C-alpha cells in the first residue's frame, strides 16, 4: 500500500492536466493508467510501421487554444516542457467534387475575399458581421470554459439579465442549421460552416447545438487552428514531463478496479491486481457517468440512476489510418490543404441532411468524410517524402441490422467505401501508394477507453443544452464532484465544457484547490522552476 496526496484514475489529457496543476501546487500526485501508454484520446503512436506517427483519436487542437494553460503558459508546457504548435494560415477548407473550394484563413479579410468569390458579396459581408458578433462574445464565453461551471439555472438567470445574454441563450437552444439559415443565403457557405461544426459529433439539426456554429468562426479567426508538432500526443508528453518535474508520477499498466470509499470519503484507488493506492487529499477519476456505479457503488442511488440516463452523441466515427509511400496530392492542388479539410459531393443542405439522417437509422454514409495527410504541415510524422493519412467517416455505434458487435466484421468494408469517396478528391490515393491500413470502429473506440468513450462517443456525451454548464453530464455531477462521496473529483470529455481537446482538467484542479483552501491564482502565477 502506497500513500500520496492525490491519486488520479486515467491518464487521458484531462486527467494529466488536473494532475499537473495539483503537482505544481506542491501535492504528491500519482496518475494510474490502464493501458501501457498514457494520453487516452490525445496520443500519437507508430500504429503500422516504424517512423509513421498516427494520432489515435484527436488530431486537430482548436478549443484548447483559448485556455489560459496555453495562453499564459501556466504549466510551462510551451516554454519548458517541449510543446510546440503548428499554426497554418489556411485553417479550414471545404472542397467539392466539381473543384469548388471555400477557404477560411485565420485572417478575416482574406476569408471574406474568398467568400465574395464563391458565395457573393452579400454573404461575405454577412459573414464578417457574424464573426464580429462571435468574437465580441468570446471573452465572456471563454472565461467560463476552463473554470468550474455555473449551475445551469444560475447561468440562465444571469444570461437573462441583458439583451446580449438573451441573444446567446437563444443561440444555445437552437440548432447549428437554424443559425446558418438565419444569417446566410449561400448553400455552399452553410455547408462550409455546418460540416465543420458536426466534427463535434453534432447533427446539423439537433436542438441545443447552435452555439457551435456561432462560436467556431470566432475561434478560428481569433486563435487559429493547430496541431502539436510531432502529433497530438505531444501535448500528453509535455504534461507528463510537467508532472514529473513537479514531483509527480504517471504509472501505466495499472488498471483501477474501484474507488476506495471510507466514511463517506474517497480515500484511494484499488487496482485490478489488489494493490491499494491511498490518497490524503482526494481522488480524481476519469469515470463516465454510465459506469459510475461500477467504480463508485457508494454514490447515492438517485445520483447513479441519473448518471446512467446521460445521453450519448447520436453518432461516432469509423477512423482510417493509412501509411503512404508519397504524400497525398489534392486534385484541386495542394495549396488547398488546410488544418481542417471537409470533402463533399453534395451541394445543398437538404442533400447533406439526408446523409446525416442515415446515421440516425444505424446506417453509415460514405459521403460524410473528412481528413488528410498530416505530413503536409508536419513532415516529422513520416520518413522523408512519405505520408500519414487520418480519415474520418461519420458512423453510428449501433449499426442496423447487426448492432454494435457487427462492426468487427464490417469495419473494413465500410472503410473501403469511404476510401472510394476519398479518391474523388485525392489524385494519388491509389493501392500502390498505400503501404498499410488500420481501421478503428466506434466499437474499437469504446474498447480502447471503456471508462470514457462509452458507445464509441469520443466526445464523452452529447453536447445538448440540457447537458451543458453545471448540468454536464448531470446536475448531480456538474460541479466536478460526486455527491456524498467527499474528495472524489471528475475529469473527462463528458464533463464541462465538452468533448475534444479543451485542457478541461484545469477546471477540476481549480475546484479541488478551492475545496482545499489553496489560492489557485497565487500558485499558477508563479514562474515554473
Amino acid at each position: 500500500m502506497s500513500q500520496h496526496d492525490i491519486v488520479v484514475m486515467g491518464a487521458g489529457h484531462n486527467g494529466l492536466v488536473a494532475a499537473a496543476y495539483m503537482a505544481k501546487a506542491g501535492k504528491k500526485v500519482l496518475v494510474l493508467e490502464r493501458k501501457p501508454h498514457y494520453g487516452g484520446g490525445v496520443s500519437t503512436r507508430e500504429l503500422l510501421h516504424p517512423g509513421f506517427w498516427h494520432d489515435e483519436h484527436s488530431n486537430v487542437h482548436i478549443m484548447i487554444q483559448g485556455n489560459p494553460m496555453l495562453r499564459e503558459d501556466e504549466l510551462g508546457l510551451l516554454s519548458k516542457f517541449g510543446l510546440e504548435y503548428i499554426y497554418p494560415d489556411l485553417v479550414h477548407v471545404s472542397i467539392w467534387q466539381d473543384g469548388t473550394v471555400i477557404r477560411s484563413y485565420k485572417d478575416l479579410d482574406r476569408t471574406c475575399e474568398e467568400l465574395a468569390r464563391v458565395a457573393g458579396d452579400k454573404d461575405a459581408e454577412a459573414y464578417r458581421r457574424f464573426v464580429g458578433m462571435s468574437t465580441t462574445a468570446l471573452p465572456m464565453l471563454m472565461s467560463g470554459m476552463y473554470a468550474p461551471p455555473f449551475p445551469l439555472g444560475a447561468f440562465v438567470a444571469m444570461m437573462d439579465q441583458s439583451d446580449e445574454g438573451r441573444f446567446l441563450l437563444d443561440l444555445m437552444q437552437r440548432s447549428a442549421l437554424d443559425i446558418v439559415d438565419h444569417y446566410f443565403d449561400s448553400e455552399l457557405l452553410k455547408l462550409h460552416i455546418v460540416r465543420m461544426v458536426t466534427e463535434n459529433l453534432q447533427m446539423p439539426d439537433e436542438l441545443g447545438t447552435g452555439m457551435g456554429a456561432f462560436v467556431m468562426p470566432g475561434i478560428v479567426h481569433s486563435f487559429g487552428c493547430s496541431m502539436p508538432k510531432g502529433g497530438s500526443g505531444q501535448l500528453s508528453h509535455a504534461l507528463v514531463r510537467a508532472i514529473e518535474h513537479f514531483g509527480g508520477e504517471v504509472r501505466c499498466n495499472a488498471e483501477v478496479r474501484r474507488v476506495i470509499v471510507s466514511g463517506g470519503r474517497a480515500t484511494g484507488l484499488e487496482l485490478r491486481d489488489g494493490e491499494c493506492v491511498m490518497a490524503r487529499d482526494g481522488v480524481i477519476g476519469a469515470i463516465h457517468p454510465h459506469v459510475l456505479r461500477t467504480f463508485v457503488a457508494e454514490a447515492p442511488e438517485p445520483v447513479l440512476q441519473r448518471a446512467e440516463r446521460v445521453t450519448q452523441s447520436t453518432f461516432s466515427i469509423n477512423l482510417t489510418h493509412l501509411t503512404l509511400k508519397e504524400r497525398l496530392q489534392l486534385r484541386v492542388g495542394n495549396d488547398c490543404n488546410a488544418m481542417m479539410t471537409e470533402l463533399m459531393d453534395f451541394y445543398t443542405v437538404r442533400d447533406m441532411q439526408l446523409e446525416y439522417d442515415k446515421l440516425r437509422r444505424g446506417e453509415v454514409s460514405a459521403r460524410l468524410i473528412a481528413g488528410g495527410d498530416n505530413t503536409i504541415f508536419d513532415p516529422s510524422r513520416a520518413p522523408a517524402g512519405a505520408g500519414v493519412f487520418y480519415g474520418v467517416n461519420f458512423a453510428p455505434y449501433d449499426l442496423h441490422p447487426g448492432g454494435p458487435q457487427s462492426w468487427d466484421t464490417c469495419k473494413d468494408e465500410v472503410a473501403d467505401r469511404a476510401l472510394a469517396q476519398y479518391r474523388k478528391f485525392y489524385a494519388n490515393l491509389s493501392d500502390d501508394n498505400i503501404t498499410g491500413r488500420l481501421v478503428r470502429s466506434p466499437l474499437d473506440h469504446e474498447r480502447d477507453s471503456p471508462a470514457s468513450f462509452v458507445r464509441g462517443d469520443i466526445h464523452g456525451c452529447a453536447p445538448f443544452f440540457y447537458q451543458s454548464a453545471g448540468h454536464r453530464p448531470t446536475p448531480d455531477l456538474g460541479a466536478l464532484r460526486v455527491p456524498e462521496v467527499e474528495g472524489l473529483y471528475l475529469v473527462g470529455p463528458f464533463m464541462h465544457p465538452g468533448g475534444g481537446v479543451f485542457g478541461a482538467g484545469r477546471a477540476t484542479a481549480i475546484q479541488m484547490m478551492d475545496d482545499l483552501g489553496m489560492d489557485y491564482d497565487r500558485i499558477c502565477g508563479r514562474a515554473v522552476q
Side-chain angles (χ1 to χ4, degrees):
M1 182 182 296
S2 60
Q3 184 79 48
H4 296 76
D5 295 326
I6 296 165
V7 292
V8 182
M9 171 187 163
H13 96 281
N14 286 307
L16 293 175
V17 167
Y21 275 109
M22 298 312 297
K24 183 179 179 182
K27 294 297 181 180
K28 183 181 179 183
V29 178
L30 172 64
V31 183
L32 300 171
E33 170 56 45
R34 177 183 64 88
K35 293 187 287 189
H37 59 89
Y38 54 77
V42 184
S43 60
T44 304
R45 301 172 62 214
E46 296 171 302
L47 297 177
L48 288 163
H49 303 298
F52 290 82
W53 293 93
H54 303 263
D55 292 334
E56 287 198 273
H57 296 287
S58 74
N59 183 240
V60 176
H61 293 192
I62 306 172
M63 303 305 297
I64 197 174
Q65 299 305 320
N67 194 325
M69 181 179 75
L70 294 186
R71 286 192 293 110
E72 300 173 22
D73 201 20
E74 291 177 335
L75 295 172
L77 301 180
L78 300 169
S79 60
K80 189 175 180 68
F81 300 118
L83 181 61
E84 179 181 351
Y85 274 99
I86 298 168
Y87 294 91
D89 293 332
L90 184 53
V91 175
H92 169 220
V93 65
S94 293
I95 302 172
W96 282 266
Q97 188 181 357
D98 68 357
T100 301
V101 176
I102 292 182
R103 304 171 181 87
S104 286
Y105 299 90
K106 185 174 185 295
D107 181 79
L108 179 58
D109 290 337
R110 194 176 179 188
T111 302
C112 288
E113 290 175 7
E114 173 84 356
L115 292 179
R117 178 182 61 81
V118 179
D121 292 337
K122 180 183 176 183
D123 264 1
E125 285 307 308
Y127 183 80
R128 185 185 296 277
R129 292 192 298 271
F130 187 75
V131 172
M133 291 187 294
S134 178
T135 303
T136 300
L138 272 186
M140 178 181 69
L141 294 171
M142 299 294 264
S143 66
M145 284 186 183
Y146 313 106
F150 286 105
L152 186 58
F155 174 76
V156 170
M158 177 184 70
M159 299 291 279
D160 203 28
Q161 299 305 306
S162 68
D163 288 340
E164 295 84 355
R166 285 188 286 271
F167 168 73
L168 294 174
L169 197 59
D170 178 80
L171 289 175
M172 292 175 186
Q173 297 175 80
R174 294 182 182 272
S175 70
L177 191 55
D178 191 15
I179 301 304
V180 297
D181 275 342
H182 180 74
Y183 286 98
F184 308 112
D185 295 327
S186 166
E187 290 282 295
L188 296 186
L189 178 54
K190 292 177 185 179
L191 291 171
H192 179 62
I193 295 173
V194 170
R195 280 288 283 120
M196 176 175 63
V197 174
T198 60
E199 295 284 348
N200 291 326
L201 306 188
Q202 301 176 11
M203 286 286 192
D205 58 355
E206 283 177 327
L207 294 178
T209 61
M211 185 54 73
F214 180 72
V215 169
M216 285 296 286
I219 289 173
V220 163
H221 296 295
S222 296
F223 301 106
C225 180
S226 65
M227 61 174 61
K229 184 176 181 180
S232 185
Q234 291 301 320
L235 170 62
S236 298
H237 288 310
L239 286 164
V240 170
R241 286 191 286 268
I243 291 168
E244 292 173 347
H245 171 83
F246 295 126
E249 179 186 353
V250 178
R251 191 202 305 178
C252 295
N253 295 306
E255 183 175 0
V256 172
R257 178 184 175 191
R258 68 182 181 97
V259 177
I260 301 170
V261 179
S262 178
R265 179 176 179 80
T267 58
L269 294 172
E270 179 185 333
L271 275 60
R272 185 65 61 183
D273 63 7
E275 179 186 357
C276 292
V277 181
M278 309 308 293
R280 300 181 189 89
D281 294 320
V283 173
I284 299 173
I287 306 173
H288 191 283
H290 283 195
V291 298
L292 186 63
R293 185 187 301 273
T294 301
F295 293 96
V296 199
E298 294 85 353
E301 183 62 25
V303 171
L304 295 173
Q305 290 180 8
R306 284 188 284 268
E308 289 160 356
R309 291 188 61 206
V310 164
T311 307
Q312 296 304 102
S313 297
T314 309
F315 60 93
S316 179
I317 62 173
N318 199 47
L319 180 59
T320 298
H321 300 284
L322 301 176
T323 53
L324 307 169
K325 290 180 183 177
E326 62 179 36
R327 290 178 192 156
L328 283 186
Q329 297 290 325
L330 281 164
R331 295 187 184 277
V332 294
N334 267 16
D335 60 336
C336 292
N337 275 301
M339 190 60 71
M340 292 184 290
T341 303
E342 306 292 344
L343 307 168
M344 291 179 271
D345 66 352
F346 40 78
Y347 298 84
T348 67
V349 170
R350 181 183 184 277
D351 196 5
M352 176 192 69
Q353 284 183 275
L354 291 172
E355 297 305 308
Y356 281 97
D357 286 343
K358 293 177 182 178
L359 303 178
R360 289 191 170 102
R361 298 195 298 270
E363 300 175 20
V364 182
S365 167
R367 301 172 76 188
L368 295 176
I369 58 168
D373 185 347
N374 289 153
T375 65
I376 298 295
F377 294 110
D378 186 1
S380 72
R381 300 280 291 273
V388 171
F389 181 75
Y390 179 94
V392 170
N393 184 190
F394 293 161
Y397 171 80
D398 192 359
L399 273 176
H400 178 79
Q405 297 304 318
S406 63
W407 271 113
D408 288 338
T409 57
C410 76
K411 66 181 181 181
D412 288 322
E413 179 185 343
V414 170
D416 288 341
R417 292 197 293 269
L419 180 60
Q421 187 76 0
Y422 282 115
R423 285 172 170 160
K424 296 178 180 180
F425 302 92
Y426 289 102
N428 62 337
L429 194 52
S430 54
D431 287 343
D432 61 356
N433 192 31
I434 298 172
T435 58
R437 182 173 84 164
L438 176 65
V439 180
R440 292 277 181 84
S441 72
L443 184 60
D444 291 328
H445 303 321
E446 181 177 55
R447 288 167 174 159
D448 189 53
S449 294
S452 285
F453 297 162
V454 172
R455 292 182 61 83
D457 190 345
I458 56 177
H459 283 197
C461 64
F464 303 148
F465 181 72
Y466 65 84
Q467 289 182 172
S468 64
H471 280 203
R472 184 173 178 90
T474 70
D476 303 304
L477 307 176
L480 309 173
R481 293 167 291 196
V482 177
E484 297 185 32
V485 183
E486 187 181 353
L488 177 57
Y489 297 81
L490 299 173
V491 293
F494 38 82
M495 305 302 296
H496 172 79
V501 184
F502 277 89
R506 180 180 187 267
T508 300
I510 292 174
Q511 185 63 66
M512 195 170 195
M513 288 187 199
D514 186 59
D515 291 347
L516 293 172
M518 305 170 71
D519 188 335
Y520 177 88
D521 292 329
R522 181 185 63 81
I523 291 168
C524 293
R526 297 201 310 263
V528 176
Q529 301 296 319

